[in-house]
Amino acid sequence: MSRIVAADLEAIFDGRGHPTVEATIVLESGARGRVGAPSGASTGAHEVRAFPEGGAAEAIRRFPRSVAPRLANLDAADRAGVDAALHAADGTPEFSAIGGNTATAVSVAAATAHAAERGVPLWRVLARPGVERASFPAIVGNCLNGGRHAIGGPDIQEFLAFAEAPRPEDSIRAAVRVHALLGEAIHRRYPALALGRGDEGGWVAPIGNVEALELLSAACAKARDELGTSVHPGIDLAASEFFRDGKYRYRDRTLDPEDQVAFVAQLVDDHGLRYVEDPLDEEAFDDFAAVTRAIGDRAVVVGDDIYCTRVPRLERGIALGSSNSALIKVNQAGTLSDTFAAVDLARAHGLSTVTSHRSGDLPEGWLAHLAVATAARGLKCGVLGGERVAKLNELLRLGRATG
Ligand code: 2PG
Ligand code: MG
């Protein structure tokens, strides 16, 4: 038995410099796991609460009395038991007493300690039924930031490179190349502009959505020619962020829902998008289904804010055909068990999953293991900057270990 003998929660800073928590779980054998939980900016309304009222400091204050005693002597190998103890310590449906970030940090730290004790890579103890060998996800890499992840960028939140190759090394190289080519293209077009980078390490430039897509798809075409890797443009619209009073309000246009559906389908046609996330508001299950029908199998249509990695919302989306893929973020759901319930449901109904970072992430690599363990269609973790590279390099190591 992998008996838990100590559980701690401490303060750390996320990639935006905001306070968050990291958990340390120590086993009787001396094996330990230490894991931090990231934070989002464009958070979905239906995510569990990241922290109790009072923030990370309050989560840390409550931990020794409300959480740690429930973890003592549990078997870290028994994920259901550990995660049930976290739910029992919280007692609310939204983790608003102990915080979803506490649940995420403890749940993943317990699994990490268990893997360390067994001397196996984390993905092996997380592997879902049927996942016996490592296969590698496409890289969904953020090349240009907008929306809430940038100051002064386009309305669309993320302009992405969707890079697919059997070996992680090749997909990572292609995403990095698109990022560089896009920066060069923007600089050539606006030589006087000082280019910066946003929260997820993509470029920030005061250009429009359509212009950004033109430059991105040209950069992808050039990277394909140079490297011979399949890399195509994608977007995360995070459309809830600019949906107000029944309309999608871009800086240069205002669209009714049916026009938004047509606009997004047209973007897929015009720019060869292979990945489209959150094209509609988080409550627009039917409009989501309309866009998914219009796009068909030309692109991975991914639900993020609409599902928030929560089973009841995913069930509704599956029943209506709202998307063909689900974004998976552990701290939207709380624990690994909650996350896997969503992953297994999606897979059982033929939806792919995309394992995702948060925009305020940490320089930790465990997300790469989660992607491999769930045979994810994609790993969405950005391209450049320590928080992103930590995950990409971990995937690279996994590729080497199995290659
Ligand atoms: C998203 C994420 C990550 P945030 O919308 O997909 O890219 O952003 O973490 O701010 O919710
Ligand atoms: Mg998103």
Side-chain angles (χ1 to χ4, degrees):
M1 168 174 170
S2 306
R3 190 192 308 277
I4 296 176
V5 293
D8 281 309
L9 193 74
E10 309 220 63
I12 53 166
F13 295 101
D14 70 21
R16 265 190 292 261
H18 295 165
T20 185
V21 294
E22 77 177 1
T24 305
I25 297 290
V26 184
L27 307 184
E28 199 169 21
S29 60
R32 58 177 59 219
R34 190 177 70 189
V35 165
S39 298
S42 62
T43 46
H46 302 278
E47 299 187 16
V48 300
R49 302 278 81 88
F51 301 111
E53 205 71 41
E58 181 59 21
I60 290 163
R61 202 185 62 74
R62 290 182 187 181
F63 190 83
R65 237 187 295 151
S66 16
V67 187
R70 290 182 183 267
L71 297 170
N73 298 316
L74 293 186
D75 184 356
D78 172 16
R79 179 171 315 116
V82 170
D83 293 346
L86 290 164
H87 276 287
D90 183 83
T92 76
E94 306 300 329
F95 273 117
S96 42
I98 69 167
N101 272 23
T102 301
T104 295
V106 169
S107 188
V108 182
T112 303
H114 172 217
E117 185 175 81
R118 281 185 51 196
V120 299
L122 177 62
W123 78 265
R124 286 227 176 254
V125 305
L126 299 181
R128 302 315 297 146
V131 179
E132 267 129 40
R133 302 186 45 222
S135 62
F136 296 98
I139 298 301
V140 188
N142 201 336
C143 295
L144 180 81
N145 293 182
R148 290 179 76 126
H149 295 169
I151 298 172
D155 318 281
I156 290 179
Q157 180 177 281
E158 299 171 25
F159 295 82
L160 305 153
F162 185 69
E164 294 184 276
R167 296 186 324 154
E169 193 183 327
D170 296 322
S171 35
I172 295 167
R173 186 169 291 125
V176 169
R177 187 65 187 134
V178 171
H179 188 287
L181 287 168
L182 181 62
E184 287 167 19
I186 298 171
H187 180 59
R188 253 197 316 277
R189 191 168 287 189
Y190 301 101
L193 205 70
L195 268 185
R197 301 220 308 247
D199 286 0
E200 294 190 348
W203 301 107
V204 177
I207 60 178
N209 298 307
V210 172
E211 183 181 16
L213 273 177
E214 281 163 9
L215 295 173
L216 175 66
S217 81
C220 288
K222 187 146 192 246
R224 281 199 301 278
D225 280 354
E226 283 179 13
L227 303 172
T229 301
S230 167
V231 57
H232 293 268
I235 46 177
D236 176 2
L237 290 94
S240 301
E241 301 293 334
F242 53 88
F243 182 70
R244 278 186 304 280
D245 304 324
K247 291 190 198 299
Y248 295 88
R249 298 176 191 276
Y250 298 88
R251 248 164 282 160
D252 63 348
R253 70 191 81 197
T254 299
L255 301 177
D256 289 325
E258 59 270 28
D259 296 330
Q260 171 74 357
V261 169
F263 176 59
V264 172
Q266 192 65 47
L267 291 179
V268 172
D269 273 352
D270 291 351
H271 305 285
L273 303 182
R274 294 270 174 101
Y275 180 99
V276 177
E277 181 180 327
D278 279 359
L280 282 311
D281 177 60
E282 61 198 343
E283 303 303 338
F285 283 79
D286 290 319
D287 295 335
F288 248 93
V291 96
T292 299
R293 275 194 303 276
I295 293 174
D297 57 10
R298 285 178 295 159
V300 189
V301 182
V302 189
D304 172 14
D305 291 349
I306 184 175
Y307 303 140
C308 288
T309 319
R310 316 270 326 249
V311 164
R313 295 190 63 87
L314 190 55
E315 276 170 342
R316 192 167 156 209
I318 288 168
L320 294 168
S322 297
S323 71
N324 57 36
S325 185
L327 205 75
I328 299 296
K329 294 168 169 166
V330 181
N331 76 332
Q332 283 185 329
T335 65
L336 280 172
S337 301
D338 295 298
T339 305
F340 288 151
V343 168
D344 294 349
L345 178 68
R347 284 167 60 96
H349 290 86
L351 272 70
S352 64
T353 59
V354 175
T355 310
S356 174
H357 67 162
R358 303 306 308 246
S359 54
D361 217 288
L362 296 159
E364 299 182 2
W366 54 267
L367 202 71
H369 289 258
L370 188 66
V372 170
T374 55
R377 178 86 170 81
L379 171 61
K380 187 189 183 208
C381 70
V383 183
L384 292 195
E387 307 92 299
R388 271 81 51 195
V389 168
K391 294 159 186 60
L392 295 174
N393 281 344
E394 190 63 12
L395 194 72
L396 198 64
R397 290 182 199 107
L398 291 178
R400 251 183 238 137
T402 57

